[in-house]
Amino acid sequence: MTREEKSIVIEDLTAQLTDNSVVYLADISGLDAGTTSNLRRACFKANVKLAVVKNTLLAKAMEASGKEFGELPSVLKGNTSIMFSETGNAPAKVIKEFRKKNEKPLLKGAFVDEGIYVGDDYLDTLVNIKSKEEVIGDIVGLLQSPAKNVISALKSGGGKLSGILKTLSEKEG
């Protein structure tokens, strides 16, 4: 790889690191072609971008991105693949699901919304991170619950004004 080609790769990686708030580093070494293809397919279905990177180029891109990756550069040894996603827990879910049948990928580290996680021990923690959509769904569910209670109470009152007033007064008491 020429110096110019390396420079282009660093620029591309820097742009991806800058544009993404969810970055996972994984070790997929030792996977055969078929298994790697299955992993890529699983990533694609989960809207996770997977790429194999050179550690030295990724380290330079991390530095150039202006983001604080903390201890993550220290895991750049051996084989490294990078996973990008818009959803904080999507790559962790892909890794966990894939490992039901395979030993790898191993989680080396992750950068999720400025939080830094180093080591495979954090996989379950990362799986349990809720996406914005999941948090919004929880909030909407909590907000709808009191409204559903009122509606069901009104329905149980028979729909007549006296029944509605009786039901509401019982709810207050």
Side-chain angles (χ1 to χ4, degrees), residues 136-155:
I136 290 169
D138 287 351
I139 292 170
V140 169
L142 290 170
L143 293 174
Q144 285 180 341
S145 183
K148 286 180 182 175
N149 289 341
V150 169
I151 291 168
S152 69
L154 293 175
K155 286 181 181 175

Side-chain angles (χ1 to χ4, degrees), residues 74-94:
S74 70
V75 303
L76 296 178
K77 296 176 180 92
N79 184 296
T80 302
S81 295
I82 192 164
M83 302 169 93
F84 295 107
S85 176
E86 292 181 15
T87 307
N89 63 2
K93 286 181 176 180
V94 169

Side-chain angles (χ1 to χ4, degrees), residues 12 38 42 63 66 68-70 72 83 92 96 103 117 147 150 168:
D12 289 346
N38 291 340
E63 194 175 308
E68 181 51 53
F69 287 101
L72 281 185
M83 302 169 93
K96 187 165 181 146
E103 289 182 22
Y117 305 85
V150 169
L168 289 174

Side-chain angles (χ1 to χ4, degrees), residues 91-92 95-96 99 107 119-128:
I95 291 170
K96 187 165 181 146
R99 288 216 326 229
L107 177 67
D120 197 60
D121 295 342
Y122 283 102
L123 185 61
D124 287 331
T125 301
L126 291 164
V127 165
N128 292 324

